[in-house]
Amino acid sequence: MITQISQADCAVLIIDSITRGVEEGISKDGQSHEHALLAFMLGVKQMICCCDKMDATTPKYSKARYDEIMKEVSAYLKKGPTILEALDMISEPKRPYDKPLRLPLHDVYKIGGIGIVHVGRVETGINKPGLVVTFSPTGLTTEVKSVEMHHEALLEALLGDNVGFNVKNVAVKDLKRGYAASYSKNSLAREAANFTSVYYYEPPWIDWQWLCPILDCFISHIAVNFVEVLTKIDRRSIKELEKEPKFLKNGDAGFVKMIPTKPITMETFSEYPPLGSFAVRDMRKTVVEVIKAIEKKDALGAKITKSTAAAAEKK
């Protein structure tokens, strides 16, 4: 679900309509509530919620029963648009056209006769053949060989495009899901050493300082360590209430410093919203957070492919 929703601009959420299914689904710990929360965290700001009102019967509906159902459905639809009408009402999302390239990889494939194909969505910037890009967190730099979408070659891939692209002289093991491509000479994406986020404390996370919950940030799925609470804040105004508190209690919020256990590319929410929000999941609870600040590592000793180095020497 996380892989697919990260490629979408809108979503259709189907809610269980059995007895008390809607109430349970949208409750605080319900599955529908969690799906909506994760979709919002991954950048989906437009969502259509549907309840299937067709009750299952065996054998198939008789003509009389079918007429009764259609009469009930017709009366219900007067209260709102149909799903097709709702889809037509969705507007194109606003995109940050002025930002440098950020292209997280969803998958890496090795296809016979074609080679290695990297698949991802252009979150910001432009991807095109001949472009020199750097992949974070490893810092590998290479040149884009070709870009395709729906089996058609593209001169350039724009924001929101889900594309497959080849790069020169890179083995399939060198790039993995969760890596992010950026311009090699402009606003490099780099590995996060640690980051600070807004954290809303709720049970059952009692001993939060000993937690190592799972974090989902765009495609990456890793564990993080809670280090310290920097500031206790008001949940609504975000104003500082207490500096360096010893603990947070139920209902509190604060700026919390975290350290990822594995290399990950992250950005602040103010600069790159698609890469600046995440969900922390532990003990069947999911909390969506935004990244306020990041301390990044330098990509020392990063690999540069031979073709890219040769091209740079010619210039």
Side-chain angles (χ1 to χ4, degrees), residues 92-115:
E92 183 179 353
K94 294 181 179 180
R95 304 187 189 279
Y97 289 98
D98 58 335
K99 299 289 186 180
L101 176 66
R102 290 295 185 273
L103 199 167
L105 298 183
H106 294 165
D107 282 297
V108 179
Y109 299 100
K110 188 173 183 180
I111 303 175
I114 297 177

Short mmCIF file of all heavy atoms in Angstrom, two decimals, residues 92-115:
data_model
loop_
_atom_site.label_atom_id
_atom_site.label_comp_id
_atom_site.label_asym_id
_atom_site.label_seq_id
_atom_site.Cartn_x
_atom_site.Cartn_y
_atom_site.Cartn_z
N GLU A 92 -6.10 19.18 -10.26
CA GLU A 92 -4.67 18.87 -10.32
C GLU A 92 -3.95 19.52 -9.13
O GLU A 92 -4.16 20.70 -8.85
CB GLU A 92 -4.06 19.39 -11.62
CG GLU A 92 -2.59 19.04 -11.77
CD GLU A 92 -2.00 19.53 -13.08
OE1 GLU A 92 -2.77 20.04 -13.91
OE2 GLU A 92 -0.77 19.42 -13.25
N PRO A 93 -3.13 18.77 -8.43
CA PRO A 93 -2.45 19.34 -7.25
C PRO A 93 -1.40 20.37 -7.65
O PRO A 93 -0.85 20.33 -8.75
CB PRO A 93 -1.80 18.11 -6.59
CG PRO A 93 -1.59 17.16 -7.73
CD PRO A 93 -2.76 17.35 -8.65
N LYS A 94 -1.12 21.28 -6.74
CA LYS A 94 -0.07 22.26 -6.96
C LYS A 94 1.28 21.59 -6.78
O LYS A 94 1.51 20.86 -5.83
CB LYS A 94 -0.22 23.43 -5.99
CG LYS A 94 -1.49 24.25 -6.20
CD LYS A 94 -1.54 25.41 -5.21
CE LYS A 94 -2.80 26.25 -5.44
NZ LYS A 94 -2.89 27.38 -4.48
N ARG A 95 2.19 21.86 -7.70
CA ARG A 95 3.49 21.21 -7.67
C ARG A 95 4.61 22.25 -7.54
O ARG A 95 4.51 23.34 -8.12
CB ARG A 95 3.71 20.37 -8.93
CG ARG A 95 2.62 19.33 -9.16
CD ARG A 95 2.98 18.42 -10.32
NE ARG A 95 1.89 17.56 -10.71
CZ ARG A 95 1.55 16.44 -10.10
NH1 ARG A 95 2.24 16.05 -9.04
NH2 ARG A 95 0.54 15.71 -10.53
N PRO A 96 5.69 21.92 -6.82
CA PRO A 96 6.81 22.86 -6.64
C PRO A 96 7.75 22.86 -7.85
O PRO A 96 8.78 22.18 -7.86
CB PRO A 96 7.50 22.34 -5.38
CG PRO A 96 7.21 20.87 -5.39
CD PRO A 96 5.85 20.71 -6.02
N TYR A 97 7.43 23.63 -8.88
CA TYR A 97 8.21 23.62 -10.12
C TYR A 97 9.58 24.29 -9.95
O TYR A 97 10.45 24.12 -10.82
CB TYR A 97 7.43 24.30 -11.23
CG TYR A 97 6.24 23.51 -11.72
CD1 TYR A 97 4.96 23.79 -11.25
CD2 TYR A 97 6.38 22.47 -12.63
CE1 TYR A 97 3.87 23.05 -11.67
CE2 TYR A 97 5.29 21.73 -13.07
CZ TYR A 97 4.03 22.03 -12.58
OH TYR A 97 2.94 21.29 -13.00
N ASP A 98 9.76 25.06 -8.90
CA ASP A 98 11.00 25.80 -8.73
C ASP A 98 12.05 25.03 -7.92
O ASP A 98 13.13 25.56 -7.66
CB ASP A 98 10.72 27.14 -8.05
CG ASP A 98 10.06 26.96 -6.69
OD1 ASP A 98 9.41 25.92 -6.47
OD2 ASP A 98 10.19 27.86 -5.85
N LYS A 99 11.77 23.79 -7.55
CA LYS A 99 12.70 23.02 -6.71
C LYS A 99 13.66 22.19 -7.56
O LYS A 99 13.33 21.77 -8.67
CB LYS A 99 11.92 22.09 -5.79
CG LYS A 99 10.98 22.80 -4.82
CD LYS A 99 11.73 23.52 -3.74
CE LYS A 99 10.77 24.09 -2.71
NZ LYS A 99 11.48 24.81 -1.63
N PRO A 100 14.88 21.91 -7.05
CA PRO A 100 15.81 21.00 -7.73
C PRO A 100 15.28 19.56 -7.74
O PRO A 100 14.31 19.24 -7.06
CB PRO A 100 17.09 21.12 -6.90
CG PRO A 100 16.95 22.39 -6.14
CD PRO A 100 15.49 22.56 -5.89
N LEU A 101 15.95 18.71 -8.48
CA LEU A 101 15.50 17.33 -8.67
C LEU A 101 15.53 16.52 -7.39
O LEU A 101 16.51 16.53 -6.65
CB LEU A 101 16.38 16.63 -9.71
CG LEU A 101 16.09 15.15 -9.96
CD1 LEU A 101 14.72 14.96 -10.59
CD2 LEU A 101 17.17 14.52 -10.84
N ARG A 102 14.42 15.82 -7.15
CA ARG A 102 14.33 14.77 -6.13
C ARG A 102 13.51 13.65 -6.75
O ARG A 102 12.33 13.82 -7.03
CB ARG A 102 13.69 15.27 -4.84
CG ARG A 102 14.54 16.24 -4.05
CD ARG A 102 15.80 15.59 -3.52
NE ARG A 102 16.55 16.49 -2.65
CZ ARG A 102 17.45 17.36 -3.07
NH1 ARG A 102 17.69 17.48 -4.38
NH2 ARG A 102 18.11 18.13 -2.23
N LEU A 103 14.15 12.49 -6.94
CA LEU A 103 13.48 11.35 -7.57
C LEU A 103 13.76 10.10 -6.74
O LEU A 103 14.76 9.41 -6.95
CB LEU A 103 13.96 11.18 -9.02
CG LEU A 103 13.09 10.35 -9.97
CD1 LEU A 103 13.54 10.55 -11.41
CD2 LEU A 103 13.11 8.87 -9.66
N PRO A 104 12.91 9.77 -5.77
CA PRO A 104 13.11 8.55 -4.98
C PRO A 104 12.84 7.31 -5.83
O PRO A 104 11.91 7.28 -6.64
CB PRO A 104 12.05 8.68 -3.86
CG PRO A 104 11.63 10.11 -3.88
CD PRO A 104 11.78 10.57 -5.28
N LEU A 105 13.66 6.28 -5.64
CA LEU A 105 13.51 5.04 -6.38
C LEU A 105 12.50 4.13 -5.69
O LEU A 105 12.61 3.85 -4.50
CB LEU A 105 14.85 4.31 -6.49
CG LEU A 105 15.97 5.04 -7.24
CD1 LEU A 105 17.20 4.15 -7.32
CD2 LEU A 105 15.53 5.47 -8.64
N HIS A 106 11.51 3.67 -6.47
CA HIS A 106 10.52 2.73 -5.94
C HIS A 106 11.00 1.29 -6.11
O HIS A 106 10.76 0.44 -5.26
CB HIS A 106 9.18 2.90 -6.66
CG HIS A 106 8.54 4.22 -6.37
ND1 HIS A 106 7.51 4.73 -7.11
CD2 HIS A 106 8.79 5.15 -5.43
CE1 HIS A 106 7.14 5.91 -6.63
NE2 HIS A 106 7.90 6.18 -5.61
N ASP A 107 11.68 1.02 -7.22
CA ASP A 107 12.17 -0.33 -7.50
C ASP A 107 13.33 -0.25 -8.47
O ASP A 107 13.49 0.74 -9.21
CB ASP A 107 11.06 -1.22 -8.09
CG ASP A 107 10.08 -1.72 -7.05
OD1 ASP A 107 10.50 -2.46 -6.15
OD2 ASP A 107 8.90 -1.34 -7.13
N VAL A 108 14.13 -1.33 -8.50
CA VAL A 108 15.22 -1.48 -9.46
C VAL A 108 15.07 -2.84 -10.12
O VAL A 108 15.02 -3.87 -9.43
CB VAL A 108 16.60 -1.36 -8.79
CG1 VAL A 108 17.72 -1.54 -9.81
CG2 VAL A 108 16.74 -0.01 -8.09
N TYR A 109 14.97 -2.87 -11.46
CA TYR A 109 14.75 -4.11 -12.19
C TYR A 109 15.92 -4.37 -13.15
O TYR A 109 16.54 -3.44 -13.67
CB TYR A 109 13.46 -4.03 -13.01
CG TYR A 109 12.21 -3.82 -12.20
CD1 TYR A 109 11.63 -2.56 -12.10
CD2 TYR A 109 11.60 -4.87 -11.53
CE1 TYR A 109 10.48 -2.35 -11.37
CE2 TYR A 109 10.45 -4.67 -10.79
CZ TYR A 109 9.90 -3.41 -10.72
OH TYR A 109 8.75 -3.20 -9.98
N LYS A 110 16.19 -5.65 -13.37
CA LYS A 110 17.13 -6.07 -14.39
C LYS A 110 16.35 -6.82 -15.46
O LYS A 110 15.90 -7.94 -15.24
CB LYS A 110 18.23 -6.95 -13.80
CG LYS A 110 19.36 -7.25 -14.77
CD LYS A 110 20.50 -7.99 -14.10
CE LYS A 110 21.66 -8.22 -15.07
NZ LYS A 110 22.78 -8.95 -14.42
N ILE A 111 16.16 -6.18 -16.60
CA ILE A 111 15.31 -6.71 -17.66
C ILE A 111 16.18 -7.15 -18.83
O ILE A 111 17.02 -6.38 -19.32
CB ILE A 111 14.29 -5.65 -18.14
CG1 ILE A 111 13.45 -5.18 -16.94
CG2 ILE A 111 13.40 -6.22 -19.24
CD1 ILE A 111 12.49 -4.07 -17.28
N GLY A 112 15.98 -8.41 -19.29
CA GLY A 112 16.75 -8.94 -20.40
C GLY A 112 16.55 -8.16 -21.69
O GLY A 112 15.42 -7.86 -22.07
N GLY A 113 17.64 -7.83 -22.35
CA GLY A 113 17.58 -7.08 -23.59
C GLY A 113 17.50 -5.58 -23.41
O GLY A 113 17.69 -4.82 -24.36
N ILE A 114 17.23 -5.15 -22.18
CA ILE A 114 17.12 -3.71 -21.90
C ILE A 114 18.20 -3.27 -20.92
O ILE A 114 18.84 -2.25 -21.12
CB ILE A 114 15.72 -3.38 -21.34
CG1 ILE A 114 14.64 -3.71 -22.38
CG2 ILE A 114 15.65 -1.90 -20.93
CD1 ILE A 114 13.24 -3.48 -21.89
N GLY A 115 18.41 -4.08 -19.88
CA GLY A 115 19.40 -3.73 -18.88
C GLY A 115 18.75 -3.41 -17.56
O GLY A 115 17.66 -3.91 -17.24
#
